[in-house]
């Protein structure tokens, strides 16, 4: 199991950050480089506990599909999306939100297993882990920007 952990400090209320983090349209906006598009399940608005979304995106020049289930949720502090169908052997993404001094600390714990044995592990070591870290960081910066603008404009 490979783990990527990212922490982002956001100057916005916890509920705002939580809601933007599970908003399908915001996710699409944050991943324009990969042309991520919700094509089945929840395709707009906020995804909730027990709901699924199927994404179509272009990674490494190839279009792939990935279906996630929101398997756990405790508003506004926590939710988990888990892959139910896709290219990984397994994938679990924990989203944790904590109020700190009129702001929110957002933590991502992204756990995954690669398929294809030694070839998958080598690909992960040299390319995939840094690619996924960058992808998550860009998404988090989008969430931060949207939440902080929302907080300023009220």
């Amino acid at each position: 199991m490979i783990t990527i952990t990212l922490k982002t400090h956001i100057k916005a209320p916890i509920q705002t950050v939580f809601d933007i983090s599970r908003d399908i349209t915001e996710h699409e906006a944050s991943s324009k480089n990969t042309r991520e598009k919700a094509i089945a399940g929840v395709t707009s608005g906020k995804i909730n506990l027990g709901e699924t979304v199927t994404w179509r995106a272009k990674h490494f020049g190839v279009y792939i599909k990935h279906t996630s289930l929101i398997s756990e949720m405790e508003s506004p502090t926590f939710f988990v999306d888990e892959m139910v169908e896709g290219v990984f052997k397994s994938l679990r993404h924990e989203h944790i939100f904590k109020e700190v001094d009129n702001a929110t600390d957002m933590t991502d714990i992204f756990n995954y297993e690669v398929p294809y044995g030694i070839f998958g592990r080598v690909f992960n070591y040299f390319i995939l882990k840094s690619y996924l870290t960058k992808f998550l960081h860009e998404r988090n910066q989008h969430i931060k920007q949207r939440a902080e603008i929302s907080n300023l404009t009220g």
Side-chain angles (χ1 to χ4, degrees):
M1 183 77 62
I2 299 107
T3 301
I4 298 169
T5 302
L6 294 177
K7 295 186 182 200
T8 308
H9 184 74
I10 303 172
K11 295 175 185 169
I14 192 171
Q15 189 69 53
T16 300
V17 178
F18 180 80
D19 287 343
I20 290 171
S21 296
R22 59 193 183 91
D23 188 287
I24 301 299
T25 305
E26 291 294 345
H27 184 91
E28 289 176 342
S30 75
S31 56
K32 288 184 180 181
N33 292 340
T34 58
R35 300 181 195 155
E36 209 141 318
K37 179 80 176 144
I39 60 169
V42 178
T43 58
S44 65
K46 295 171 191 68
I47 194 163
N48 290 298
L49 181 63
E51 295 179 331
T52 62
V53 58
T54 299
W55 299 100
R56 182 175 185 266
K58 192 171 191 177
H59 295 280
F60 305 107
V62 177
Y63 279 100
I64 61 164
K65 287 184 186 177
H66 173 97
T67 301
S68 287
L69 164 72
I70 303 302
S71 60
E72 299 176 44
M73 181 180 286
E74 189 171 315
S75 179
T77 59
F78 182 75
F79 74 94
V80 174
D81 65 89
E82 294 187 73
M83 181 192 77
V84 293
E85 190 175 324
V87 297
F88 290 93
K89 201 171 185 180
S90 69
L91 188 151
R92 176 182 168 90
H93 186 177
E94 297 178 32
H95 307 258
I96 303 162
F97 308 89
K98 183 177 179 185
E99 256 182 329
V100 179
D101 299 326
N102 295 325
T104 303
D105 282 343
M106 179 175 74
T107 303
D108 290 274
I109 303 172
F110 191 85
N111 295 298
Y112 64 100
E113 290 180 280
V114 293
Y116 311 119
I118 187 72
F119 300 108
R121 289 192 297 278
V122 168
F123 177 70
N124 179 68
Y125 181 81
F126 287 107
I127 298 169
L128 185 61
K129 186 172 184 182
S130 64
Y131 177 85
L132 291 172
T133 301
K134 181 180 182 228
F135 179 82
L136 291 169
H137 177 73
E138 288 173 359
R139 173 171 158 64
N140 288 357
Q141 291 309 300
H142 175 87
I143 292 167
K144 176 181 174 72
Q145 181 181 31
R146 292 287 293 127
E148 289 179 351
I149 288 170
S150 175
N151 192 40
L152 290 174
T153 60

